[in-house]
Amino acid sequence: MIYLDNAATTMQKPQEVVDAVAAAMCSMGNAGRGAHAASLGASRTVYQTRERLADFFHAENPKQIVFTSNSTESLNIALKGVLEAGDHVITTMMEHNSVLRPLYELEEKGVELTIIKSNLQGTIDYEDFEKEVKDNTKLIVCTHGSNLTGNLVDIKRVGEIAKKHGLLFAVDASQTAGVFPIDVQEMQIDLLCFTGHKGLLGPQGTGGLYVREGLTVRPLKVGGSGVQTYNKKHPVEMPTALEAGTLNGHGIAGLDAAIEYLEKEGIDHIRAREQEFMWRFYNGVKDIPNVKIYGDFSGGERCAIVTLNIGDYDSSEVSDELLMTYGISTRAGGHCAPLMHEALGTVEQGAVRFSFSHYNTDEDIETAIRAIKELATEE
């Protein structure tokens, strides 16, 4: 199988990650729930991973890193933990449902929502953020990179806009964490939401939330914490305040190994390899008759994603044919990005997304190009 669905999850993981998870499954107790070797070992792994992530994203200190199960949980904690009735929030059409659905739910509870429009190439006008700021605006939340088009957002620029107006700034880094450098302090990010199973090359069921020091976020859930057992209220100290219940220690052990791998290999090297594959595929298919590609390819760096359609074929039919005839795994349909599909005019047809990994090969790309040429000719 040629796996080109890495924007959904990176299937091939470093061997170090596999080994770390297996070792943890055989030895790890419950972090913070005992003074025996198995529990203490788990606590050390969790803290070490917290330290690695803090360094990776340039956080003030490790306690500002909260472990979650994925970006969706992180975004729900962040958005529901700072917004309340009467607040105004600004977001974009580029967003994934993990941003949109919590905002729609909050809108029903009295939060005012503004969505910045996108053009036909899937990009936004940064001046629109400033135009939409009101007296009650509290937060800007946006993706760092579109999971549909691969277009990047200049989050440093958006962060500067947020700071200028005294707003909080939340970033969905699902498609970029582990691939593009992120400095939460330099980029003025108050809340960074990320998942472990994509660019960070960790296991599914891992993720995290960075919370700027000094910012209080209401917990999404409360319960067991391992400390202050006789207190009727959940502890307010970070990161315990946002980590009720047993953590996914086995997954966190794998995430720790994944970040160590990224540090060793260098994310610049990994990104360059992914970009090479993406541009080779794009240049190989962009001039094929009946092929329509979505997104802005006029600039430099972007997520390693190429999304396209062939004629009027339903995207699911094309994706199925790619798998059955050529052994190529892609993602078709709506990609949990309904507003982006509205902007592109692909709501009914959907689109076929190719997303690349540094583990792909030159042969993978050549096969994918040949497949699109043959399928487009058949159309």
Side-chain angles (χ1 to χ4, degrees):
M1 180 178 66
I2 298 174
Y3 188 79
L4 297 178
D5 193 21
N6 292 281
T9 194
T10 47
M11 186 185 70
Q12 188 170 351
K13 311 292 185 181
Q15 186 60 43
E16 296 94 322
V17 174
V18 178
D19 294 342
V21 173
M25 291 288 289
C26 297
S27 63
M28 184 174 281
N30 199 329
R33 268 71 167 182
H36 49 81
S39 176
L40 293 174
S43 295
R44 282 191 289 269
T45 296
V46 168
Y47 186 75
Q48 176 175 290
T49 313
R50 219 186 288 278
E51 284 189 309
R52 285 194 196 278
L53 286 166
D55 289 341
F56 199 76
F57 296 124
H58 302 274
E60 302 93 319
N61 61 63
K63 73 177 183 178
Q64 301 310 121
I65 300 294
V66 175
F67 287 110
T68 67
S69 58
N70 47 47
S71 285
T72 297
E73 184 178 11
S74 299
L75 285 158
N76 272 268
I77 294 171
L79 298 175
K80 295 176 181 179
V82 300
L83 293 170
E84 53 193 358
D87 290 337
H88 174 232
V89 57
I90 302 171
T91 192
T92 79
M93 291 186 77
M94 297 175 69
E95 308 310 314
H96 189 278
N97 271 335
S98 55
V99 171
L100 295 174
R101 284 177 172 165
L103 290 180
Y104 293 148
E105 186 176 307
L106 286 164
E107 189 177 28
E108 293 178 351
K109 298 178 180 179
V111 172
E112 188 178 353
L113 173 62
T114 295
I115 301 175
I116 301 297
K117 292 185 177 180
S118 165
N119 61 21
L120 291 174
Q121 287 187 308
T123 63
I124 55 175
D125 186 339
Y126 294 94
E127 293 182 359
D128 287 344
F129 286 107
E130 297 216 53
K131 292 176 182 177
E132 297 296 342
V133 174
K134 305 179 180 181
D135 290 341
N136 63 330
T137 305
K138 186 172 187 178
L139 173 75
I140 294 175
V141 54
C142 70
T143 186
H144 188 190
S146 168
N147 74 310
L148 177 56
T149 65
N151 293 345
L152 283 180
V153 172
D154 185 347
I155 54 172
K156 183 177 180 181
R157 183 174 176 182
V158 181
E160 290 170 350
I161 293 171
K163 184 176 182 181
K164 173 183 174 182
H165 293 278
L167 310 177
L168 296 177
F169 182 38
V171 173
D172 175 8
S174 299
Q175 293 297 328
T176 56
V179 182
F180 290 88
I182 297 174
D183 185 324
V184 292
Q185 297 187 70
E186 180 185 348
M187 296 173 171
Q188 312 293 338
I189 298 171
D190 298 290
L191 298 154
L192 180 73
C193 305
F194 58 92
T195 195
H197 69 100
K198 298 187 182 186
L200 285 173
L201 301 177
Q204 294 179 355
T206 62
L209 167 66
Y210 157 79
V211 179
R212 175 181 52 77
E213 198 164 27
L215 174 62
T216 299
V217 177
R218 294 186 302 273
L220 187 67
K221 55 187 179 182
V222 297
S225 61
V227 295
Q228 301 181 27
T229 294
Y230 298 101
N231 188 343
K232 290 183 178 181
K233 294 186 179 295
H234 194 80
V236 297
E237 294 81 15
M238 288 285 286
T240 310
L242 302 178
E243 286 183 346
T246 295
L247 296 174
N248 177 10
H250 307 131
I252 290 171
L255 185 58
D256 181 54
I259 299 165
E260 185 176 13
Y261 170 85
L262 291 173
E263 292 170 342
K264 179 180 65 177
E265 292 293 316
I267 65 171
D268 291 341
H269 168 73
I270 291 173
R271 184 171 67 258
R273 186 67 171 155
E274 293 180 355
Q275 297 277 312
E276 178 186 349
F277 288 140
M278 180 269 295
W279 283 111
R280 187 181 304 176
F281 177 74
Y282 169 75
N283 287 320
V285 301
K286 66 183 178 68
D287 295 322
I288 299 174
N290 298 319
V291 172
K292 182 173 183 179
I293 297 177
Y294 305 95
D296 182 7
F297 288 83
S298 64
E301 286 193 326
R302 60 194 320 284
C303 296
I305 291 171
V306 178
T307 300
L308 55 79
N309 274 316
I310 298 177
D312 295 326
Y313 277 123
D314 183 84
S315 60
S316 296
E317 293 181 16
V318 175
S319 187
D320 287 347
E321 191 65 27
L322 286 167
L323 179 62
M324 300 303 294
T325 303
Y326 301 94
I328 299 172
S329 296
T330 58
R331 171 78 186 276
H335 311 88
C336 302
L339 300 186
M340 193 76 270
H341 276 285
E342 285 184 22
L344 300 177
T346 52
V347 170
E348 297 299 325
Q349 187 177 15
V352 184
R353 183 185 68 192
F354 294 75
S355 48
F356 305 91
S357 164
H358 70 295
Y359 283 119
N360 285 127
T361 66
D362 294 340
E363 291 75 17
D364 292 344
I365 308 308
E366 293 307 314
T367 300
I369 292 171
R370 176 172 58 84
I372 295 301
K373 286 180 178 178
E374 293 177 358
L375 291 176
T377 300
E378 292 176 8
E379 200 278 338

